[in-house]
Each structure stands twice: as C-alpha cells, then as structure tokens.
Amino acid sequence: MSRTTATVAASLPDRWEELVTTALLGTDRRTPPGVAPGPQAPSDLLDAAAAATVRRRAGLRSARPAERLRPAPEDPRPQLPPAAARRLAALLAHRPGASGGGRRGAAPDLMELLPQWLQAANARGYAAPPQALPALLDAARGRTDLRPAALRFAGPRALWLARLNPDWRFALRAAPGGGPSAPDLRDPQGIRRLWQEGLFAERVTLLTALRSRDAAAARSLLEETWATERAEDRLMFLDSLRAGLGPDDETFLERALADRSRNVRATAAELLSALPASALAARMAVRAAACVAVDRTRDAPTIVVEAPHECDAAMERDGVVAKAPAGRGERSWWLGQLVEAAPLGTWPGRLGGRAPEEIVALPVADGWQGELHAAWCRAAVRQRDAEWSRALLGEPSAPEAGGPGAVSLAERARLLATLEAGERAAWVAGFIETHGLSEAFQLLGVCAVPWAPPLGRAVVDALNIARDAGSYPWSFSGVMGLAERCLDPSEASRLDALLAIPDEPEDAAPGAGSYWSEAFQRLVTTLRLRGAMLAELAPERPAA
C-alpha cells in the first residue's frame, strides 16, 4: 500500500455508507474528509474503499460452513414428450387478466386447462420437467384445488424443493410422506414411532395412507391409543375409517358408540348404519319398521306413519340426536333419523313385498310423504343403493323430474352419484332435453368427464335452443364454463355451425347474438386446444 493510500485509509472513518454515497454523487460534488479536491480525488476514494473493504472483512468471525445440500432424489417416471413439455410451460406462464369482470372474450382460459392437463399427465405416469417445478409449485400455492394433482405430478423433487423455500411448505403438509420423519409404510417400527410421537397432522396423514393399504392395520393402530386421544382428534381419526369401511370395523365402531363425545358417537353411528349387516342397522330397522306400515283398508294401499313419541337413551346411544333443529318438529326429526339409518332392504318385506319403485309410488297419508321420501334419499346415498336411487329419482322426463323424494337439486345430484357413469349421464341428458339447462348445472357437476356423447349432444342442443330463443346469454355462462372443461374434444366439429352471429329476435337481450357467437368461439377453441393437449401427451411411437 502506498504512503498516500495509508494516510487516506488512516484518516478516513470506516463508514461504508458514506463511501458509497460519495461514489454515487461523484468526487466533483462531494469529497469525504481527508481527501483533497482535484483530479486525484477519485483515485484516493477508491483506495479508501479498498482499505475499508479489507478492514470489514478482517473483522468477520469465522463460522462453521453450512452443510452441503443433498442432491434432489431421482424421479424414475418417463419424461414428457417435448411438445407436452412446451405446452406445460405455456400453461404455467399464463396469468389471468386483472380486469376481474366483463366479457371473457373468445380466447380460452389457459389456467382452467391446467387441471385437466395435470390429470391427463398423471394418468399416463409422466414425470415433471425439473425446470418447471418452481412455476408448478407457485401455481399450486395460489390454487388449493390444483395441489393434489400438481404434487403428484411434481413427485419427490417437489418435497426436496419445499424444504428450501418457505413459500412452498404447503407441499410438506399436503403430500403423504412430506414430513421429514414420515416412515415407509413397509416399516412397522417407523410407523409405530410416528404414531406415538408425531404431530397431529402427521398422524392423520399416516393413518389415512395406512388405511388405504391395510385397513386392519390402521384400525389396530387407532385402537391402541384410542382411550388416550383428545375428543377432537378421535373424531378426525374415526373419520378416516370411511376409506375401506367393512364388517371387520363393526366391533370397534360399536365401542365408539359409548364415547364421551357426542360428535364421535354420531360419526360412529353413521358409519355403522352404512354397514347394512351391522347390529346397529338391525336395531334401527326394528325401530323404523315400527313407524311405517301399509294400510290396506283404504281404497288404495297407502303408507301410514306413526312417528316416535320419545327419543330414549338407547336411541341416543345409536346416534339419534334428540334435540330437533329450529323449525322442525321433534317426532318428524326422530323419524327421519331412524329411516335414514335403517337398511333399505327392510322395506320390501315390511311393505308387502314391493320393489323400491312400487314403494315410492305408494301414497303416504297425513302429509308424511316428504319426510319419509327425503329420509329414503339420504339412506340410498349413505348405503350407495343404485336401485333405490333410481326409484327416488324417477324418470328424467317426469314433470317434476326427480321423483317425489328428491326435493332439491342437491339431493338429485347425490342420488345420481350412486349410479354408474353411463346411466348417470343418460339421466341428466334426459333431464336437459325435457327441462333445459336452467336447473341442470348442479346435476352436470356429478357427471364423469369427458361427458358421454348423449349428454354432450343434449348440452349443445340446449345451448343452441337458448341462443335461438334470444335468451340472456349471461345466465348460461356457468354451463358454458363446464362445457369448455367437460365436453369431449371430438364435439368441436359439431359446433362450427354455431360460430356465426345469429339474427336477434325483437325481444332478445341487446348484444346477445354477438355474445353467443363469442362464447361458442371460445368453446370450440378450447375443445380443439384440449384435443391437441391430449395428443401431445400420447407416448411417442418408435420410428419404424
């Protein structure tokens, strides 16, 4: 170091911020103390900064180096075809417009296509490209509905990244095995250790994963610590038994009927009533059958109801809630719970050997029909009984389109969910053909994707009819959105004739024609884009 540099370094205060400010302003406008103005000032300032840098570094204490990161785990799944990888990058780079309202335009919504792309990629077993993982985790962070499919596609490397970035910690909570101490399900000692020492969320994840693999082992694990668990934890653990519920669970659930927590007792009773051969189901069948009979003395056979006059301790133990909600009569409240929990196989023998559709068709005396049929609806859903669901739904072309028991669209949707996918689609298609789309949105939501051809045609025809009638197009925006996601891409060619702006009737909503044309253009473009996405995900064929 030169003599001048040593003098400058000694005379300058070690104030790094002051040196930086001087450098930004320039020595013509400002010189630090001890630096003479003039042509030598810039050189002296640099010397001072060098000396200050050495002084600052010399003052740092040595520290233990950070542990070197372990490499990310390998993902053995096959790589995406190049075209599919480019499509994924485009979907992840898309950001929805910030306007938040107004017309959507004719361009497809790429963010709504991402869930379907992920589902298709997962079905084919592809691995995520490493360079796409940060954007994929960012997308899943902002949309909880994406997380299961996104984390499955991201694979083990997503968990490795999530441990390095707090913004992605949700992946550790959401993915089985995300916790650092989560054991292999083939490791009995590790499972037992985590069950006894893990956090609540880790234990729930463990029990759920183990239940799907070995239902009896999961139940045995829960039985070991059941008596010492908190009431709210017992409720969550008990709910995990829904997966793989079977007759072997009955003994444990019967013991849970005596639990201190009312919510635990109610959940145990609900699970037992879903087992038609259980002792609780038999007890409920006796109680319910005592309340319902056929009166043959009238002009036509009629169902008569004598609701319970009290809710005794045995009924409460079996899950009947004694206190009725506001606005409900106690007797009808108790009756509904008994019928809902009784096996549906009780009723043909009790009501003259009639089949479910014949039972549903019988008149019910004294205004009890709504309560009785609604309880049968809940029982059909709980017991996954397709025959009773058909009877309660009735014909889709019936004036009320849902049978006397399905008093709401939500109930119809739940009954439909018990049917096989093709039958479900055919019923909803018949409903739309008779009643149009105004009430069909909730029913469409339970249909398998892509929609079966009869259902897709019914939806497109109903939209076309609504357009030609000059209906307000905005009232069908929800169905249009569903169609973009659920119509089979092969339907796109059938829609080309609907792209032109139609002549508007005199009583049509102003601008409705152009809106309909725009919406159909978006629908066709989206369907073709979905078709291209599926083609890109098809495995590449080796060259001949």
Side-chain angles (χ1 to χ4, degrees), residues 236-392:
M236 290 291 293
F237 292 145
L238 192 64
D239 200 61
S240 70
L241 298 187
R242 295 182 190 277
L245 182 67
D248 291 343
D249 298 315
E250 181 179 358
T251 301
F252 173 67
L253 292 173
E254 274 284 344
R255 290 201 301 270
L257 290 176
D259 197 88
R260 301 183 300 275
S261 166
R262 184 182 69 181
N263 291 333
V264 172
R265 295 196 302 271
T267 300
E270 180 189 347
L271 293 173
L272 284 167
S273 67
L275 298 172
S278 68
L280 178 137
R283 295 192 295 270
M284 289 299 197
V286 172
R287 294 174 181 131
C291 300
V292 182
V294 173
D295 184 355
R296 296 179 177 83
T297 65
R298 306 190 184 212
D299 294 338
T302 302
I303 295 178
V304 291
V305 173
E306 181 65 28
H309 290 272
E310 65 173 343
C311 180
D312 57 32
M315 289 168 61
E316 288 196 63
R317 181 185 180 276
D318 284 347
V320 177
V321 178
K323 186 175 181 180
R328 290 288 303 274
E330 284 186 332
R331 295 182 65 198
S332 64
W333 171 243
W334 299 332
L335 173 75
Q337 293 179 81
L338 295 181
V339 174
E340 177 182 358
L344 288 163
T346 302
W347 302 111
R350 174 62 175 164
L351 302 178
R354 292 175 171 85
E357 60 271 17
E358 296 173 311
I359 293 173
V360 169
L362 289 174
V364 182
D366 303 323
W368 283 104
Q369 178 169 298
E371 188 68 50
L372 183 61
H373 284 205
W376 278 335
C377 282
R378 297 192 296 273
V381 172
R382 182 181 294 187
Q383 297 171 37
R384 309 294 299 176
D385 193 306
E387 186 179 11
W388 271 88
S389 293
R390 292 188 198 99
L392 291 160

Side-chain angles (χ1 to χ4, degrees), residues 459-475:
V459 171
V460 172
D461 291 345
L463 287 170
N464 191 20
I465 291 170
R467 181 194 69 154
D468 290 344
S471 301
Y472 281 95
W474 304 277
S475 59

Side-chain angles (χ1 to χ4, degrees), residues 141-498:
R141 179 192 177 201
R143 287 183 56 177
T144 56
D145 62 306
L146 278 180
R147 290 181 184 178
L151 293 178
R152 179 183 170 191
F153 178 62
R157 290 173 174 172
L159 303 181
W160 183 85
L161 282 173
R163 295 188 181 103
L164 304 177
N165 186 342
D167 289 344
W168 300 331
R169 297 300 291 273
F170 69 86
L172 302 179
R173 299 188 297 268
S181 59
D184 188 324
L185 291 180
R186 296 167 295 184
D187 176 13
Q189 293 183 346
I191 289 173
R192 188 170 300 278
R193 182 168 58 252
L194 180 58
W195 179 251
Q196 293 173 348
E197 302 173 5
L199 300 174
F200 172 69
E202 293 174 321
R203 300 176 74 209
V204 170
T205 299
L206 170 65
L207 191 64
T208 302
L210 185 59
R211 180 73 178 177
S212 64
R213 178 168 180 159
D214 188 340
R219 186 183 61 251
S220 297
L221 202 65
L222 182 56
E223 286 180 302
E224 289 179 9
T225 60
W226 181 256
T228 60
E229 303 287 356
R230 301 183 305 167
E232 55 268 34
D233 295 353
R234 292 199 303 275
L235 182 62
M236 290 291 293
F237 292 145
L238 192 64
D239 200 61
S240 70
L241 298 187
R242 295 182 190 277
L245 182 67
D248 291 343
D249 298 315
E250 181 179 358
T251 301
F252 173 67
L253 292 173
E254 274 284 344
R255 290 201 301 270
L257 290 176
D259 197 88
R260 301 183 300 275
S261 166
R262 184 182 69 181
N263 291 333
V264 172
R265 295 196 302 271
T267 300
E270 180 189 347
L271 293 173
L272 284 167
S273 67
L275 298 172
S278 68
L280 178 137
R283 295 192 295 270
M284 289 299 197
V286 172
R287 294 174 181 131
C291 300
V292 182
V294 173
D295 184 355
R296 296 179 177 83
T297 65
R298 306 190 184 212
D299 294 338
T302 302
I303 295 178
V304 291
V305 173
E306 181 65 28
H309 290 272
E310 65 173 343
C311 180
D312 57 32
M315 289 168 61
E316 288 196 63
R317 181 185 180 276
D318 284 347
V320 177
V321 178
K323 186 175 181 180
R328 290 288 303 274
E330 284 186 332
R331 295 182 65 198
S332 64
W333 171 243
W334 299 332
L335 173 75
Q337 293 179 81
L338 295 181
V339 174
E340 177 182 358
L344 288 163
T346 302
W347 302 111
R350 174 62 175 164
L351 302 178
R354 292 175 171 85
E357 60 271 17
E358 296 173 311
I359 293 173
V360 169
L362 289 174
V364 182
D366 303 323
W368 283 104
Q369 178 169 298
E371 188 68 50
L372 183 61
H373 284 205
W376 278 335
C377 282
R378 297 192 296 273
V381 172
R382 182 181 294 187
Q383 297 171 37
R384 309 294 299 176
D385 193 306
E387 186 179 11
W388 271 88
S389 293
R390 292 188 198 99
L392 291 160
L393 280 165
E395 292 297 325
S397 57
E400 294 185 1
V407 296
S408 70
L409 288 171
E411 273 188 317
R412 296 174 202 173
R414 287 192 287 269
L415 289 169
L416 282 167
T418 68
L419 304 181
E420 182 270 331
E423 184 179 2
R424 193 185 319 161
W427 196 96
V428 177
F431 179 95
I432 292 171
E433 290 169 359
T434 303
H435 303 277
L437 289 168
S438 58
E439 294 185 357
F441 184 80
Q442 217 167 348
L443 306 180
L444 287 168
V446 300
C447 293
V449 178
W451 289 336
L455 178 57
R457 287 192 294 270
V459 171
V460 172
D461 291 345
L463 287 170
N464 191 20
I465 291 170
R467 181 194 69 154
D468 290 344
S471 301
Y472 281 95
W474 304 277
S475 59
F476 296 94
S477 58
V479 175
M480 274 290 190
L482 271 180
E484 291 171 18
R485 299 189 293 273
C486 303
L487 267 176
D488 193 299
S490 63
E491 295 288 325
S493 58
R494 293 185 59 243
L495 295 166
D496 284 337
L498 303 177

Side-chain angles (χ1 to χ4, degrees), residues 503-510:
D503 295 330
E504 296 182 2
E506 293 182 1
D507 57 346

